[in-house]
């Protein structure tokens, strides 16, 4: 898979004067079944997250509040995505190096994942990533 497979997906949005509602069904709105949800919050200004790739994991990243950037890198090409709306998310396919930065204060980054946590799925060394990816 390449960076072209990673894309912003617009989610359903039920607008309502009482407040809007969006939802995500695994295999329906995103191209995998959801086995895990985690979120980043209380991120200090100037802090960066990510800096790794996953061998098999599919992920979907949503800015639930505030904003941040996700930089994806497939070893050949890099793309920066600015995440700031909670009815859009970024699908990240396997073998994609990712860096998250530019967090606004109060930002909450929710990640839906196709597998449970498995440290052996991580590639945390960029040189090793390049060798494996290219
Ligand atoms: P990591 O994935 O490196 O964070 P990020 O990509 O956001 O910078 O995870 C940070 C730590 O949290 C690491 O010690 C592993 C642990 N962790 C879990 O135990 N379970 C999880 O589901 C996740 C995502 C991380």
């Amino acid at each position: 898979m390449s960076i072209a497979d990673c894309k912003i997906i617009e989610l359903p949005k039920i607008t309502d004067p009482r407040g809007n509602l969006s939802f995500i069904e695994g295999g329906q709105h995103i191209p995998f079944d959801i086995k895990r949800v985690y979120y980043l919050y209380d991120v200090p200004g100037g802090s960066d997250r990510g800096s790794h790739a996953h061998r098999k994991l599919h992920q979907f990243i949503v800015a639930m509040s505030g904003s941040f950037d996700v930089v994806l890198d497939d070893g050949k090409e890099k793309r920066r995505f600015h995440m700031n709306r909670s009815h859009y998310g970024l699908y990240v396919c396997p073998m994609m190096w990712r860096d998250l930065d530019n967090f606004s204060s109060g930002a909450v980054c929710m990640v839906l994942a196709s597998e449970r946590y498995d440290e052996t799925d991580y590639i945390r060394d960029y040189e090793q990533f390049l060798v494996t990816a290219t």
Side-chain angles (χ1 to χ4, degrees), residues 13 23 57 62-63 65 68 110:
K13 181 179 179 186
F23 53 93
L57 194 70
V62 183
S65 183
F68 52 86
M110 180 182 73

Side-chain angles (χ1 to χ4, degrees), residues 50-71:
S51 288
H52 61 255
H54 288 280
R55 297 171 201 278
K56 295 193 177 142
L57 194 70
H58 299 254
Q59 291 178 304
F60 186 68
I61 301 175
V62 183
M64 299 304 284
S65 183
S67 65
F68 52 86
D69 289 357
V70 182
V71 181

Side-chain angles (χ1 to χ4, degrees), residues 36 38 40 49-50 52 117 122 124:
R36 176 168 52 113
Y38 66 94
L40 300 169
R49 301 290 316 216
H52 61 255
Y117 175 72
Y122 281 75
R124 294 190 183 273

Side-chain angles (χ1 to χ4, degrees), residues 21-121:
L21 183 153
S22 288
F23 53 93
I24 306 167
E25 294 181 359
Q28 182 69 27
H29 304 105
I30 57 174
F32 59 86
D33 285 328
I34 302 158
K35 282 211 184 142
R36 176 168 52 113
V37 179
Y38 66 94
Y39 34 95
L40 300 169
Y41 56 100
D42 292 347
V43 179
S47 192
D48 298 342
R49 301 290 316 216
S51 288
H52 61 255
H54 288 280
R55 297 171 201 278
K56 295 193 177 142
L57 194 70
H58 299 254
Q59 291 178 304
F60 186 68
I61 301 175
V62 183
M64 299 304 284
S65 183
S67 65
F68 52 86
D69 289 357
V70 182
V71 181
L72 297 182
D73 173 357
D74 64 4
K76 297 191 186 95
E77 194 186 332
K78 281 188 191 183
R79 284 185 66 188
R80 179 176 287 270
F81 298 86
H82 184 58
M83 310 300 298
N84 64 350
R85 304 298 299 275
S86 40
H87 67 289
Y88 287 93
L90 175 64
Y91 167 64
V92 182
C93 66
M95 285 306 291
M96 207 53 54
W97 190 267
R98 87 287 316 276
D99 289 297
L100 282 78
D101 61 17
N102 201 22
F103 283 88
S104 70
S105 87
V108 179
C109 167
M110 180 182 73
V111 184
L112 309 182
S114 63
E115 301 297 335
R116 295 175 68 170
Y117 175 72
D118 174 9
E119 184 60 36
T120 67
D121 186 63

